[in-house]
Amino acid sequence: IMYKHYLRRFFMNNAKNEGSDASRLALALLKGTAVGIGAAAVLMPILALAAYSSPDPSKLTVYLGYAAFALAAAVSGIAAAKFTGGGMLPGAISAAGPSVVVFAVSLLIDGGSETSAAVSAAFHFGAVLLGALSAAAAGKRKPKKRAKHSSPKKAPRRRSR
């Protein structure tokens, strides 16, 4: 019973929303995923223009696609942390949603990439881990305690009349 308290505190600290853990995680998944997809939609054209300006854009498309997906996973994790109040689990879930879909589609459809399924799976696992770590970094922090001894107080100034 006690370990559940510590796990909940580690993964879902300072949650703003009332309700069950499942509803908070679903909310984190939806909102974080939406923000991550929005970030990917902004990053993809920018990185496509960067690839287009290179002499051989076909060599860069896979790597720039991975970069856009990783950045979107990090943004998704940060958004999930902000929406739920912090914790690694909402960030991992919000990054795992699109990652699972993209990985499944990449297994079904051959995009002409030389990337193997194992490398792609490792990348998607890394994207989920990046979402979790970015959510942990973006979560609320405890205020720092001040030192017991503070600087000496200055004497109040007298007003001159």
Side-chain angles (χ1 to χ4, degrees):
I1 295 175
M2 196 65 163
Y3 70 92
K4 288 182 182 179
H5 169 72
Y6 289 116
L7 288 176
R8 184 176 294 125
R9 188 171 162 198
F10 180 72
F11 286 115
M12 294 288 295
N13 57 348
N14 298 327
K16 293 178 185 176
N17 302 329
E18 295 297 324
S20 68
D21 288 342
S23 66
R24 284 189 299 215
L25 292 178
L27 183 65
L29 174 65
L30 292 176
K31 287 183 177 181
T33 302
V35 171
I37 289 173
V42 169
L43 287 170
M44 284 297 215
I46 294 170
L47 294 177
L49 286 174
Y52 184 70
S53 66
S54 73
D56 190 11
S58 63
K59 289 184 178 180
L60 296 176
T61 53
V62 173
Y63 302 112
L64 291 177
Y66 279 155
F69 193 81
L71 289 173
V75 169
S76 178
I78 291 170
K82 294 298 180 184
F83 287 130
T84 60
M88 292 177 72
L89 191 59
I93 287 178
S94 65
S99 186
V100 167
V101 171
V102 170
F103 181 67
V105 169
S106 73
L107 290 178
L108 296 175
I109 299 172
D110 182 26
S113 170
E114 294 94 24
T115 307
S116 68
V119 171
S120 182
F123 169 76
H124 286 286
F125 178 74
V128 171
L129 185 62
L130 181 65
L133 292 176
S134 63
K140 289 187 177 181
R141 305 213 186 278
K142 295 179 182 178
K144 292 182 179 180
K145 294 183 180 180
R146 294 187 176 210
K148 290 183 180 179
H149 53 72
S150 60
S151 61
K153 294 183 181 180
K154 295 180 181 179
R157 293 185 180 181
R158 292 187 183 194
R159 290 187 175 177
S160 61
R161 292 186 184 216

